[in-house]
């Protein structure tokens, strides 16, 4: 069953890559004219996905960087956050699913539910006004910050031992993963939320990683293909996301463990500052009819 899951992940992600390359070729004259910096963007991708491999939300870090650097408009930020994740998360998911033990039924339920949520979401996101998207992103930053702080002060337990779920726990977790898949599409990353859910259900903390990566390995390419179709993402940032693979491989194969405690506090400060900056942007923006 694990082999079939891996084959399915490969098929879905290569389908995304096909649609992405086709879109790049169609707009090749415009790609490098996009505002993302051709030097700092690849470097940022390496750093973002290095930390993402250890469970530090790449959505949150990217949201802290991209609007401030003016690399992408707020309107296209949700689609960009999703599309830039696809290739690095594809590599990450293969690494975790093949090395971490999780009950296959639990893994499949979480993946299917998140995919359904991700497929539905983009159709509604592209219709939202920019101020509304900015507000959702602020909420996502604050949620991520709250969950990181809760974990650091011990409000979220992280000492479970279960490797699979049954009964009501599986049903509730599946429903929540459906919601997280939909939230991905408005710029609210699912990593922190999934980790908190897995901890709350009494699972081994390491089990969060194949669930997060497995779910995203399906939901992100499926949702991102919708954003490509709707032309609501940054092609340039997504193209440079291939450099994120370097960060993933360094984290998985060269750095076996890392003390993320200090990094998490820095991330907390950055996320709060980013949320405040976006809030100021909302206040300055003219109302949208």
């Amino acid at each position: 069953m694990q082999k079939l899951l891996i084959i399915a992940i490969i098929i879905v992600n290569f389908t995304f890559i096909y649609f992405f390359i086709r879109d790049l070729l169609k707009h090749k004259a415009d790609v490098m004219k996009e505002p993302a910096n051709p030097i700092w963007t690849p470097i940022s991708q390496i750093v973002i996905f290095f930390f993402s491999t250890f469970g530090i939300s790449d959505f949150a870090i990217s949201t802290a960087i991209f609007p401030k650097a003016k690399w992408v408009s707020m309107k296209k930020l949700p689609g960009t956050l999703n599309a830039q994740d696809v290739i690095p998360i594809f590599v990450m998911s293969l690494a975790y699913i093949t090395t971490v033990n999780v009950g296959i039924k639990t893994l499949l339920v979480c993946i299917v539910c998140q995919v359904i949520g991700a497929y539905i979401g983009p159709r509604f996101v592209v219709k939202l006004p920019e101020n509304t998207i900015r507000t959702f992103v602020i909420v996502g930053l604050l949620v991520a910050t709250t969950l990181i702080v809760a974990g650091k002060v011990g409000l979220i337990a992280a000492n479970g031992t279960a490797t699979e779920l049954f009964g009501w726990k599986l049903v509730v977790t599946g429903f929540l993963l459906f919601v997280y898949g939909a939230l991905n599409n408005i710029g609210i990353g699912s990593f922190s939320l999934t980790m908190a859910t897995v901890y709350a259900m009494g699972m081994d903390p390491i089990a969060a990683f194949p669930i997060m990566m497995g779910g995203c390995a399906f939901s992100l390419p499926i949702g991102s293909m919708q954003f490509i179709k709707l032309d609501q993402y940054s092609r340039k940032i997504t193209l440079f996301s291939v450099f994120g693979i370097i960060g993933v491989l360094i984290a998985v194969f060269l750095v076996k463990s890392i003390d993320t405690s200090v990094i998490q506090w820095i991330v907390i400060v950055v996320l709060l500052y980013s949320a405040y900056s976006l809030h100021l942007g909302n206040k300055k923006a003219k109302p949208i009819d």
Side-chain angles (χ1 to χ4, degrees), residues 225-244:
M225 282 187 277
Q226 301 299 311
F227 282 115
I228 289 175
K229 181 180 177 181
L230 297 165
D231 192 21
Q232 291 294 317
Y233 78 115
S234 167
R235 297 178 183 88
K236 193 174 184 180
I237 292 176
T238 305
L239 176 61
F240 283 138
S241 71
V242 296
F243 287 89

Side-chain angles (χ1 to χ4, degrees), residues 38-287:
I39 297 174
W40 288 108
T41 304
I43 293 173
S44 73
Q45 294 290 309
I46 295 172
V47 175
I48 287 168
F49 288 102
F50 172 81
F51 290 123
S52 177
T53 310
F54 292 102
I56 297 175
S57 173
D58 53 83
F59 266 45
I61 299 174
S62 299
T63 301
I65 296 173
F66 295 169
K68 201 73 178 174
K70 298 183 176 8
W71 287 352
V72 65
S73 68
M74 187 58 61
K75 188 72 175 175
K76 291 189 176 182
L77 180 62
T80 302
L81 293 176
N82 281 268
Q84 72 154 2
D85 269 19
V86 175
I87 296 174
I89 296 295
F90 171 39
V91 175
M92 210 184 293
S93 67
L94 295 180
Y96 277 116
I97 288 175
T98 56
T99 58
V100 177
N101 180 38
V102 178
I104 191 67
K105 182 173 72 172
T106 300
L107 190 57
L108 288 175
V109 167
C110 291
I111 288 173
V112 170
C113 290
Q114 189 166 340
V115 166
I116 295 171
Y119 180 75
I120 295 172
R123 304 154 191 260
F124 299 98
V125 175
V126 296
K127 298 177 183 178
L128 295 174
E130 187 170 312
N131 279 5
T132 303
I133 293 174
R134 188 182 283 110
T135 299
F136 277 122
V137 171
I138 291 171
V139 171
L141 291 171
L142 294 177
V143 168
T145 303
T146 301
L147 291 173
I148 293 172
V149 172
K152 292 190 71 62
V153 301
L155 293 178
I156 298 176
N159 56 359
T161 58
T163 58
E164 54 186 322
L165 298 172
F166 304 94
W168 69 268
K169 286 187 176 183
L170 183 59
V171 172
V172 170
T173 302
F175 172 75
L176 290 174
L177 266 292
F178 164 79
V179 174
Y180 303 160
L183 290 178
N184 263 345
N185 295 300
I186 53 175
I188 300 179
S190 62
F191 276 19
S192 297
L193 295 168
T194 302
M195 291 180 81
T197 301
V198 166
Y199 296 167
M201 294 299 172
M203 294 189 74
D204 186 333
I206 196 66
F209 287 90
I211 291 174
M212 288 188 303
M213 309 310 176
C216 289
F218 284 100
S219 65
L220 286 171
I222 289 173
S224 296
M225 282 187 277
Q226 301 299 311
F227 282 115
I228 289 175
K229 181 180 177 181
L230 297 165
D231 192 21
Q232 291 294 317
Y233 78 115
S234 167
R235 297 178 183 88
K236 193 174 184 180
I237 292 176
T238 305
L239 176 61
F240 283 138
S241 71
V242 296
F243 287 89
I245 296 174
I246 298 173
V248 173
L249 296 178
I250 291 172
V252 171
F253 296 109
L254 298 183
V255 182
K256 300 301 182 182
S257 63
I258 186 172
D259 182 4
T260 58
S261 180
V262 174
I263 296 169
Q264 285 174 333
W265 283 117
I266 295 172
V267 170
I268 288 169
V269 173
V270 171
L271 297 188
L272 289 175
Y273 173 74
S274 300
Y276 177 69
S277 298
L278 288 173
H279 172 66
L280 290 180
N282 251 0
K283 291 176 70 175
K284 292 177 182 177
K286 295 180 180 179

